[in-house]
Amino acid sequence: MKITIVGTGYVGLVTGACLAEMGNHVLCLDLDASKIRTLQSGDIPIHEPGLLEYVQRNAAAGRLQFTTEVEQAVAHGTLQFIAVGTPPDEDGSADLKHVLAAARSIGRLMADYKVVINKSTVPVGTADKVQQAIDAELAARGVKLPFAVVSNPEFLKEGAAVADFLRPDRVVIGADDERATLLMRSLYAPFVRNRDRIFVMDVRSAELTKYAANAMLATRISFMNELSRLAERVGADIELVRQGVGADPRIGLHFLYAGAGYGGSCFPKDVKALAKSLTAAGVPSRILDAVEAVNESQKHVLAEKVVARMGEDLSGKVFALWGLAFKPNTDDMREAPSRTVIAELARRGARVQAYDPVARDEAAKAMAGQERLSFADSASAALAGADALVIVTEWREFRTPDFAELERALKHKLVFDGRNLYDPKAMAAFGLEYHCIGRPSAAPQTST
Ligand SMILES: NC(=O)c1ccc[n+]([C@@H]2O[C@H](COP(=O)([O-])OP(=O)(O)OC[C@H]3O[C@@H](n4cnc5c(N)ncnc54)[C@H](O)[C@@H]3O)[C@@H](O)[C@H]2O)c1
């Protein structure tokens, strides 16, 4: 099939590459000329495991192309995916300006039947607005052309996006139009060959399903983070609690880790947007307001632990910081908890030497002007001259560090771990003072 993807970011690029992999002819549009230049030169502008190979293979086969030309993009695909950003508006609701701009371009330039597919995460009612925007453009042109608007929210996870797209646990298609539904089913059939996981539903239910999924996951995390504070006060271990709770199949073990707060391009904005939708519909948003408030305070928990141990004034102190991206296997810095931690430590006069396996460039952009932040080339190099280590993102390479080196390198033998990577008893045995989340902290066996 001929497919256009409008918006070649994390979602658009993965969608385009994976659809091309199945033999479709895909044209990816973006208004960001530098992104398109990078893609046309055979590279990719983001870090996503496995993606480069898919992009290069399909580009070489002529099935995946990139453009900044809106006219060419609208002409190309019978299926027009909208995968542009939907950032929070000033009041927290989803800002639809990019989605509607894409819709208007399609209405202004289309010359034959189109299926316009909302892949961006958008509130209930957006498909109607897209329909109206296209109708208005067609009316202004004085033409009548057939088209359908479909909701097809995306559930991929950054860091595992290619695998998720190729083997989705579900494909949600919200469509009221039979021809469009058939086209969507054919498009996704290769991805669900072993077991049908396509859920066809009305457009509004599809739109709500995406927000409901993200809000549920965020709720689990905030719930565990709140319990981790109780565990610390009463001398329980949240890790043991997690395993005991998660063993119940009605609950399950996923997304129950206490930590330094959730971040990323989706949970924070989607929780806010769903909360706004609830209040706008006259339903008090009690749960989601609490989920967000708990997360905001949790992003400060690591800095609070540092202050509780080392005092309010951190001037002259140097912190090694491991992990900048909002989660492992991505370079995405949007709403990353590391930003809050670094801002707090810097505000109190400390210097931070940060290391991340891939997010250095994005972090430098996101925290441009933060003079107290510098970047190291390795986890070891970040330790040079540091008083203490703060761990914010659980990259695999941090899971078994050289503990003897940590003990030697850190002036105060202090580790603040926002991801509970280590066994507190083992840390004490290595001569390290270990502060983690929702578990008793451990003092070194040898005094320093
Ligand atoms: N990132 C994720 O993990 C993820 C997962 C599921 C759903 N989503 C949703 O998918 C949508 C896209 O997210 P993303 O992370 O890929 O965003 P992104 O910011 O990485 O990419 C969006 C791209 O759209 C481009 N763009 C904006 N307006 C345009 C226009 N009119 N024409 C062409 N290009 C335009 C931007 O330049 C940018 O490159 C959002 O609604 C998001 O909530 C994201």
Side-chain angles (χ1 to χ4, degrees), residues 56-74:
Q56 288 180 340
R57 183 171 49 244
N58 287 288
R63 286 191 301 267
L64 182 61
Q65 289 174 303
F66 305 98
T67 187
T68 53
E69 298 297 324
V70 179
E71 254 176 62
Q72 185 196 356
V74 174

Side-chain angles (χ1 to χ4, degrees), residues 7 9-11 30 35 84 86 121 154 158 265-266 269 334:
Y10 283 86
V11 168
D30 206 290
K35 237 178 221 189
V84 298
T86 44
T121 302
E154 182 51 58
E158 282 179 25
S265 67
C266 293
K269 81 171 172 60
R334 289 178 281 189

Side-chain angles (χ1 to χ4, degrees), residues 22-324:
M22 298 301 170
N24 295 291
H25 283 262
V26 180
L27 179 61
C28 291
L29 169 75
D30 206 290
L31 302 182
D32 182 337
S34 76
K35 237 178 221 189
I36 294 300
R37 267 197 307 278
T38 303
L39 288 159
Q40 285 170 336
S41 75
D43 203 356
I44 56 174
I46 54 172
H47 175 88
E48 189 57 52
L51 181 59
L52 180 63
E53 183 194 326
Y54 278 79
V55 169
Q56 288 180 340
R57 183 171 49 244
N58 287 288
R63 286 191 301 267
L64 182 61
Q65 289 174 303
F66 305 98
T67 187
T68 53
E69 298 297 324
V70 179
E71 254 176 62
Q72 185 196 356
V74 174
H76 176 82
T78 303
L79 304 186
Q80 300 267 324
F81 277 90
I82 300 180
V84 298
T86 44
D89 215 337
E90 275 154 30
D91 67 353
S93 57
D95 183 347
L96 297 178
K97 67 170 180 275
H98 299 304
V99 171
L100 295 177
R104 282 193 296 272
S105 298
I106 295 169
R108 199 170 61 246
L109 296 163
M110 65 189 269
D112 51 10
Y113 175 70
K114 301 286 180 199
V115 181
V116 180
I117 303 147
N118 272 337
K119 198 165 243 329
S120 300
T121 302
V122 290
V124 173
T126 302
D128 293 342
K129 290 185 180 160
V130 166
Q131 174 103 29
Q132 286 155 14
I134 297 173
D135 274 336
E137 291 293 334
L138 292 175
R141 289 167 59 195
V143 295
K144 274 195 167 29
L145 289 168
F147 72 97
V149 179
V150 169
S151 166
N152 172 221
E154 182 51 58
F155 296 94
L156 62 76
K157 301 182 286 296
E158 282 179 25
V162 174
D164 285 349
F165 199 96
L166 293 173
R167 280 176 295 283
D169 42 30
R170 83 216 96 155
V171 174
V172 170
I173 297 172
D176 306 322
D177 175 295
E178 215 169 295
R179 183 174 171 194
T181 306
L182 275 179
L183 282 170
M184 293 299 286
R185 273 195 182 280
S186 320
L187 185 70
Y188 278 107
F191 301 94
V192 295
R193 272 167 63 86
N194 61 347
R195 180 167 57 89
D196 190 6
R197 281 151 283 156
I198 296 178
F199 297 90
V200 177
M201 54 182 80
D202 64 278
V203 172
R204 287 176 172 251
S205 301
E207 289 171 333
L208 186 53
T209 300
K210 172 65 192 176
Y211 278 115
N214 274 1
M216 174 67 89
L217 293 171
T219 301
R220 285 167 69 97
I221 294 174
S222 276
F223 178 70
M224 291 307 283
N225 281 338
E226 189 157 272
L227 283 194
S228 75
R229 294 193 179 234
L230 176 63
E232 283 172 15
R233 300 270 163 97
V234 300
D237 182 334
I238 197 69
E239 265 304 295
L240 301 175
V241 174
R242 177 185 72 80
Q243 291 175 36
V245 169
D248 183 334
R250 291 170 304 177
I251 297 172
L253 283 161
H254 295 294
F255 270 79
L256 285 185
Y257 289 95
Y262 61 74
S265 67
C266 293
F267 286 6
K269 81 171 172 60
D270 293 351
V271 166
K272 282 193 195 84
L274 185 55
K276 272 282 153 202
S277 294
L278 281 159
T279 19
V283 184
S285 163
R286 299 189 190 103
I287 292 175
L288 293 184
D289 288 352
V291 168
E292 199 200 337
V294 168
N295 193 56
E296 273 312 306
S297 71
Q298 197 68 11
K299 288 205 247 172
H300 291 268
V301 80
L302 271 175
E304 283 164 12
K305 284 175 188 285
V306 170
V307 167
R309 176 61 180 76
M310 301 177 79
E312 300 269 349
D313 181 6
L314 299 174
S315 44
K317 297 278 186 294
V318 178
F319 289 86
L321 185 140
W322 286 357
L324 291 160

